[in-house]
Structures are given as structure tokens and as C-alpha cells.
Amino acid sequence: MDYFKNLATLLELELAHDRAAHELVLASRTLTERKELGVTWYPIQISDSELGRGDYLTVTFHKTNDLENGHRFRFGMPISLFSNYAPQEDRIQGTIAFVNQNLMKVSFRTEELPDWSRKGKLGLDLLFDENSYREMKSALQEAERGIEDPQKGKLTRKLLGLEPIALADGRDDFDDVGLNISQNDAVRRILGKGDLAILHGPPGTGKTTTLIKAIAAGIKRSGGQVLIVAPSNTAVDVLAERLDQLGLNVLRIGNPVKVSAHLLALTVDEKASKHAGYKEVKGLEKQARAYTDMARKYKRNFGRSEYEQRKALLNEARKIRKDIDRIQDYVIEDILCKAQVIAATLVGANHPHIRDKRFETVVIDEAAQGLEPACWIPILKADRLLLAGDHCQLPPTIKSEERESKELFNTLFEKLVKRYPDSVSFLDTQYRMNSQIMTYSSVMMYDGRLKAAPATAEWRLVDDTEPIVFIDTAGAGFEEKEEEGALSNKEEADFLVNHLSALIAQLEGGHHGEKLPTVGVITPYRGQANRLKGLLSDIGGLPYVDLQVSTVDGFQGQEKDIIYISLVRSNTGGNIGFLSDVRRINVALTRAKKKLVVIGDSSTIGQHAFYKGFLDYVESVNGYHSVWEWNNV
């Protein structure tokens, strides 16, 4: 069948676009711009180096400024060490062995760094990471071959509908008083012995809590080992930390983004350093380092005898290194065997430590955000599969602009929900939103099945009678503009900041020193997000308010008491761009707990059925207003 060949073709389009975009950044941007984009560290200092596994030199680098800036460097990615004296000529490539906010360990296939590295002015560029694409392509090829294999391809054939699938019956006796009816039902289905279970968790329904309970209960009963994966490091970190807090033995493969002592303690390196068998390694590493340091004293101009002596010293260091590798292999295998939960990203599921391992159960969280080719990497290691997510929220990030690439938005999660509806457990009670804020999303995205928990259904701001508001800018001359490829709406941003400032001033008067509600300002467009941040900065921000301004994509998984949404689009043609992806706007509409204020042009967005329905709904709950009601327009 051509199923996996078609996916491979789509993946090639993504690869070509992604590579070209990354190479353009490195070639066309200044050093300062590359630093701001998170693809360059400069300046850096070398704090340590040692001859590591397989004759690789492992060098530790530290940032020396911009310590607060984020970056895109991740474990396993290729980098280029350069000298800013001659950035084009003086370069050497390596691979990231460890990275956190301000420290990076890099492996180089050389015994020592070039002479130019001793002169300073060093930096690190992030090169295009083809490894993830190689892993995805390899998984698709293996999945295609596996269809013909009676054992290896069993789950694959079932997921594709080529063989009957066994679904759990949900008759388990699990019952947790801390979970609601739908959550308990979901755990019972997950604990069943079916080939596939799907957990559909709309916003605020406690998907992660339910998933954690199910994983913990399953391990307690079977004593088996579970692989949990997710598309992002952040999602993996959440699961790893929560499961560790329950007392399970969790092993985090790769490097966590949230660099806390708590999470670092779950990594292979940290567990290995505390392992009883590691004491011998430290002594041997000291010996190997001594031999290597002696060998490095011999510089370029030396005779035959010095050359032989240098060679002998390096050979001795290599022999000791082999003993170290043997002990480390034993230590790592022992750590892997004792782990109850192994946590990694989708691509990290093929990390060398677990490349050849199989698992009775594989769990993919946020599966509706994972590219399907990446999902097949962990699936090929599974006897049974548990998917958790919500295909009514953000889809995967697709970088290619080719029309065919949009097929990748149709994720494996969504395909399996449609193919095997009886495998789906729907969490129907949300604990985040006032019921008025929830209702439109419930009707349009979840067939009206979502309900508000009694504790949250009526909560609202002090003296507030309008939990949901739409402010219509039609006819006010608030026009969208594109500048340097970024879309924004100046007048809409000005109005939003003034309206928010007035609301906060009003709340300050009624809270009498109590903590003010948290606020989120969301917009689908990065240009508008930057404009809003600038305006708020110009007025000195909003003191004493927990305020976050972000794009929709940056706000996934978060919540605030008050949410403002700036829709931006305002034009005579009714063009709404990717506002037409209602999954994206569903994320924005479901972040608010007590008050949601949406600002937009009804004449532009109202031509789309989803937004026309939204306008009708807001009017039905008396939340519709025109911008002309405010004097500062």
C-alpha cells in the first residue's frame, strides 16, 4: 500500500522548506539578529574539555551575556563552533550532548580543538537539524516493511484498519474519588487490555491529571515499563515531573527544557553519576585525563621520539576510555531496566539508549499536535497504544507552504478518532471557564457535550455582569496593515490597551489591596503581539498585574482570569487568513476563566460561518458592544 510512501513525500516537502529557511537565516542575518532568534550563542567561554566516548572530544561552553534570552538549541542537534575573527574560515562542527539555559556540552570528532579556538571571540551557530527528519523517514520505511511482518507489523496493520483491533471494554473496577465520572470511565478504558485507547481532553477538563492517574494505576497493576512521549520537550517535562512526584521511577531521555534540579535528577547523566558503579568511572576518567594532558604538551614541532611518546600516551588514554565505556554501558543498562517510566519527545523515542527497546504500552500525549511521521517512531516500539490530546485545538506546525503539505494537518490522532470512535474516552467536565465563556466552543467544537463544573460555572470578576464581550470595530477605520511581512492593526491595539487599562483601574478600586486577577492578551498575529507589547511597555506596563501578551500558539495550555483577544483582520474583502482555522481560535476562546473580551471587525470576520455564529451567540447573552460606545475612539 502507498500509505507510508505518501507520508514520506509530504515529509520531503517539509524538509526542503525547513532546510532552506534555516540556511537563509544563517546566511542573511547579522550576528545580533541570530542571537535574538535563538540560533547563535556569542560570546562564549570554554570551561572544560575531556576525551569522551568513541574518541569524541567533549567541550563545555558557557554563555557570558544575554543570560536571560531563550534559544532553540536542543540535545542531539548539530552546531558549528566559530571564531568571530574569521567566522567563515574558522569553523568546526559538533553535536550537542547536553544543553540548558546558559551551558552547553558539545561532542567533536577530534582529539583537540583547532589553534584558533584559543584566541577567544568564540560563538556557536545552530545548524540545520536533519536528524529528526532522518528518524521520521526511517520510521515510515520501517512501518511500511513491518506491514508484511506477522509480529512486528501487528499493531501497524490494526491502526491502519487492515486487521481487526481489540478495544478495551471499560469494565475495570478502578475508581478514584478525586476524579469525576468521565475521568474515571476514561481510566477504566485505558486500563483495559485493548490495542488502542484514545483520551480526548477538551480545554480545562483535566486531561493530564487523568492520564497521570491511568499511567500510575497501570504500572502499579502490571509492574511493566511504559514509554511516554510528546511532540514538545515542555509537554514531556510536565508528565515526567508529575509521575516522579507520585513516587514512580522516571527516566527522562534527552535534556529537559525546564532546567530545575528536580527534573535534572531524572536524566540519564544525573542518575548515572549517582549510581554505585560510577565511582570506578571517576577514578578512571582522572587517569585518562592525566594521560591526555601529558600528550597535549607535545606541540607541532617535535621529533620522532616525542611523536612516539605522544602516541603511546593517547593510546593509553583510549584503553582506559574503553574500560570507562564498558562500565558506563553496564550502569546505563541497569538504570534503563529499573525505570518504570521512560519519557522522551517523539523523535527522542529513537535515542540510542532505547532505540532497540520494545514496550508493552506507549503513551503519546498532545498527539493531535504531533506530525504523523514523528508519531510512528514510538508506535513501532509498542504492543499497545494510548493517545491523548484534542484535535479541536492547535494542529501540528507545518512549515512548508505547498498545498499538499496541508494534508499533514490531518493527524494520526484525528484519523484514529474517526476510524475507531469506540476507542475514544471524552472528558466532559471543564474546571476552567465560566459557562458563558465555554458554551460557544462546546456547541461548535464538541457537539455541545462539554459542561462546566459547578465550582466554575458562575465565577466572574467582582461586580461583573458580562463574562463574555465582543467589541465591534466595524466602521471605525481600524485597518489592518502589513509591514515587513508582519500583520498588525494599530488602532485596534491602541483601543485594547486603553480598554484593559480602564478595566484594571476599575478592579483596583474594588479589590482593596487584594491580589488582582491575572490577564492574558492573545492575538493570532506576531506583528500585533509585538505592537501590543510595545504599547504596554510605553505606558510602563500594568503594575501589580500578572500580564502575558502572546500569539495563540504561544498560549496553548495556559489560562488567565481575564483574556483579551485582538483579531486584527479588518478589510473590505472579508479576508481572514488563518483565522479560518477555527481550531486556532478555539484555543484563544478557551483560555479565560472569568472574563473574555474579543475585539474585531464584524464586517470582515462575519462572512465566515464560525464567526457569524459567535457574533450571534454573544448578542444572545447581551455581550455585544460597538467600539463607538467608548469616547476615546
Side-chain angles (χ1 to χ4, degrees):
M1 66 185 302
D2 293 331
Y3 185 86
F4 292 109
K5 284 189 177 70
N6 291 339
L7 281 176
T9 301
L10 297 175
L11 191 63
E12 284 296 326
L13 292 174
E14 273 293 282
L15 168 59
H17 183 91
D18 202 4
R19 184 198 287 120
H22 189 91
E23 289 173 355
L24 181 64
V25 166
L26 290 183
S28 63
R29 300 298 184 108
T30 65
L31 181 61
T32 301
E33 288 172 333
R34 298 201 314 270
K35 285 168 64 176
E36 289 172 356
L37 289 167
V39 296
T40 296
W41 280 18
Y42 182 86
I44 53 170
Q45 284 184 341
I46 296 173
S47 61
D48 191 21
S49 67
E50 59 182 337
L51 199 58
R53 198 178 184 90
D55 289 344
Y56 278 82
L57 179 69
T58 301
V59 182
T60 303
F61 299 97
H62 282 271
K63 269 188 183 182
T64 58
N65 61 20
D66 304 312
L67 304 184
E68 70 289 344
N69 288 356
H71 61 79
R72 301 188 203 171
F73 292 79
R74 297 286 179 265
F75 169 83
M77 288 182 170
I79 60 88
S80 179
L81 173 68
F82 66 88
S83 161
N84 211 32
Y85 287 113
Q88 299 307 315
E89 298 84 29
D90 292 346
R91 283 186 175 265
I92 181 172
Q93 289 190 19
T95 304
I96 300 171
F98 175 86
V99 61
N100 61 27
Q101 182 71 9
N102 301 312
L103 177 148
M104 195 186 309
K105 291 184 179 181
V106 179
S107 293
F108 297 94
R109 184 138 209 157
T110 181
E111 290 177 355
E112 53 188 321
L113 290 178
D115 286 346
W116 54 258
S117 68
R118 299 178 183 88
K119 297 175 185 175
K121 294 186 80 167
L122 298 178
L124 293 165
D125 275 336
L126 180 61
L127 301 181
F128 178 65
D129 180 22
E130 205 156 315
N131 177 62
S132 59
Y133 286 97
R134 277 196 300 268
E135 294 288 6
M136 286 189 273
K137 186 178 178 180
S138 175
L140 295 176
Q141 291 169 343
E142 188 182 337
E144 186 176 18
R145 289 192 302 269
I147 291 176
E148 306 302 323
D149 189 305
Q151 275 309 114
K152 275 190 175 180
K154 206 169 187 179
L155 183 59
T156 301
R157 289 193 299 277
K158 289 179 176 182
L159 295 178
L160 295 182
L162 303 175
E163 244 182 59
I165 198 164
L167 300 177
D169 57 20
R171 292 179 189 162
D172 194 277
D173 61 356
F174 178 90
D175 189 58
D176 187 314
V177 294
L179 300 181
N180 64 40
I181 293 171
S182 68
Q183 290 170 333
N184 271 309
D185 284 345
V187 176
R188 284 193 281 272
R189 296 277 291 280
I190 291 166
L191 291 175
K193 294 300 179 186
D195 299 313
L196 172 68
I198 299 175
L199 180 62
H200 183 186
T205 55
K207 172 183 66 70
T208 301
T209 297
T210 307
L211 190 58
I212 294 294
K213 293 273 189 182
I215 293 168
I219 290 171
K220 187 177 178 182
R221 292 183 180 193
S222 70
Q225 192 177 66
V226 175
L227 173 65
I228 58 169
V229 292
S232 71
N233 276 288
T234 304
V236 177
D237 289 346
V238 169
L239 291 173
E241 195 156 23
R242 294 273 300 269
L243 287 164
D244 175 65
Q245 287 167 357
L246 290 179
L248 293 172
N249 185 333
V250 181
L251 180 64
R252 174 70 162 92
I253 299 289
N255 297 127
V257 169
K258 183 180 163 191
V259 185
S260 63
H262 191 65
L263 266 175
L264 277 177
L266 307 181
T267 62
V268 176
D269 287 347
E270 281 295 305
K271 284 181 182 269
S273 69
K274 293 176 173 60
H275 193 281
Y278 204 72
K279 290 177 184 174
E280 190 180 349
V281 168
K282 291 181 180 176
L284 289 171
E285 281 181 337
K286 196 173 180 181
Q287 289 178 40
R289 187 185 289 265
Y291 282 119
T292 305
D293 288 346
M294 283 191 280
R296 283 177 181 163
K297 288 177 183 174
Y298 296 98
K299 296 300 177 186
R300 291 176 185 274
N301 300 315
F302 50 74
R304 180 75 185 171
S305 62
E306 286 89 349
Y307 173 81
E308 292 296 337
Q309 182 65 20
R310 185 179 192 270
K311 186 178 176 183
L313 289 166
L314 288 173
N315 282 338
E316 198 58 40
R318 285 194 192 95
K319 283 180 192 172
I320 296 171
R321 186 70 244 176
K322 283 180 181 174
D323 287 336
I324 292 170
D325 291 349
R326 179 179 49 77
I327 296 168
Q328 285 181 328
D329 286 341
Y330 158 74
V331 168
I332 289 169
E333 187 57 34
D334 190 49
I335 290 168
L336 285 167
C337 286
K338 288 176 179 172
Q340 294 170 292
V341 175
I342 294 177
T345 59
L346 294 171
V347 175
N350 239 11
H351 187 284
H353 290 332
I354 56 172
R355 188 179 294 275
D356 300 319
K357 285 183 75 70
R358 282 198 69 80
F359 299 86
E360 182 186 338
T361 302
V362 167
V363 179
I364 304 181
D365 192 21
E366 304 297 355
Q369 289 182 59
L371 278 178
E372 181 172 349
C375 289
W376 283 101
I377 298 171
I379 289 172
L380 293 172
K381 301 176 185 300
D383 293 328
R384 63 187 301 262
L385 179 64
L386 166 57
L387 301 177
D390 179 13
H391 53 293
C392 302
Q393 294 189 66
L394 286 180
T397 300
I398 308 297
K399 296 170 184 173
S400 170
E401 292 166 7
E402 300 286 340
R403 190 165 51 86
E404 303 96 303
S405 297
K406 301 299 179 274
E407 288 181 44
L408 288 170
F409 281 135
N410 186 16
T411 61
L412 183 62
F413 182 93
E414 192 166 1
K415 291 174 185 176
L416 292 174
V417 165
K418 289 175 181 172
R419 186 174 295 146
Y420 299 116
D422 291 341
S423 70
V424 180
S425 296
F426 181 81
L427 302 182
D428 63 12
T429 306
Q430 64 84 16
Y431 297 86
R432 174 183 296 163
M433 296 165 271
N434 175 290
S435 59
Q436 280 191 23
I437 297 172
M438 172 207 74
T439 296
Y440 189 67
S441 281
S442 175
V443 170
M444 296 300 291
M445 308 300 289
Y446 305 106
D447 299 322
R449 297 167 66 194
L450 198 58
K451 59 189 180 187
T456 61
E458 293 302 322
W459 68 359
R460 55 187 69 199
L461 301 179
V462 176
D463 299 327
D464 186 34
T465 58
E466 295 181 319
I468 184 167
V469 171
F470 179 79
I471 300 175
D472 192 355
T473 66
F478 290 13
E479 293 183 4
E480 64 181 67
K481 286 190 174 61
E482 189 170 342
E483 297 172 341
E484 297 180 5
L487 199 68
S488 66
N489 187 319
K490 180 183 181 301
E491 292 80 14
E492 186 172 291
D494 289 340
F495 176 81
L496 187 154
V497 170
N498 288 334
H499 190 279
L500 172 58
S501 299
L503 175 62
I504 295 301
Q506 178 187 328
L507 290 170
E508 283 177 326
H511 272 67
H512 309 297
E514 294 174 26
K515 193 173 180 183
L516 287 167
T518 57
V519 180
V521 179
I522 310 176
T523 175
Y525 295 94
R526 191 168 301 280
Q528 186 77 338
N530 291 336
R531 181 177 289 281
L532 287 161
K533 287 175 185 175
L535 287 171
L536 287 163
S537 176
D538 289 345
I539 64 169
L542 294 169
Y544 317 116
V545 178
D546 176 346
L547 171 66
Q548 181 180 350
V549 181
S550 183
T551 59
V552 177
D553 296 49
F555 228 93
Q556 170 92 345
Q558 299 187 65
E559 59 185 35
K560 297 288 183 183
D561 295 316
I562 304 167
I563 289 289
Y564 275 73
I565 302 174
S566 170
L567 293 176
V568 177
R569 302 311 299 250
S570 180
N571 55 72
T572 54
N575 300 317
I576 62 171
F578 61 61
L579 282 189
S580 58
D581 183 351
V582 295
R583 290 177 294 184
R584 179 168 266 103
I585 206 66
N586 184 43
V587 171
L589 293 174
T590 54
R591 299 305 101 191
K593 295 163 74 174
K594 300 176 181 178
K595 189 173 186 70
L596 172 64
V597 180
V598 184
I599 303 172
D601 182 339
S602 66
S603 66
T604 300
I605 65 169
Q607 297 178 45
H608 188 285
F610 181 89
Y611 295 97
K612 182 183 184 307
F614 177 71
L615 294 171
D616 291 343
Y617 169 70
V618 174
E619 198 160 11
S620 75
V621 294
N622 301 314
Y624 176 87
H625 293 273
S626 168
V627 74
W628 295 102
E629 294 174 32
W630 282 267
N631 295 328
N632 55 358
V633 174

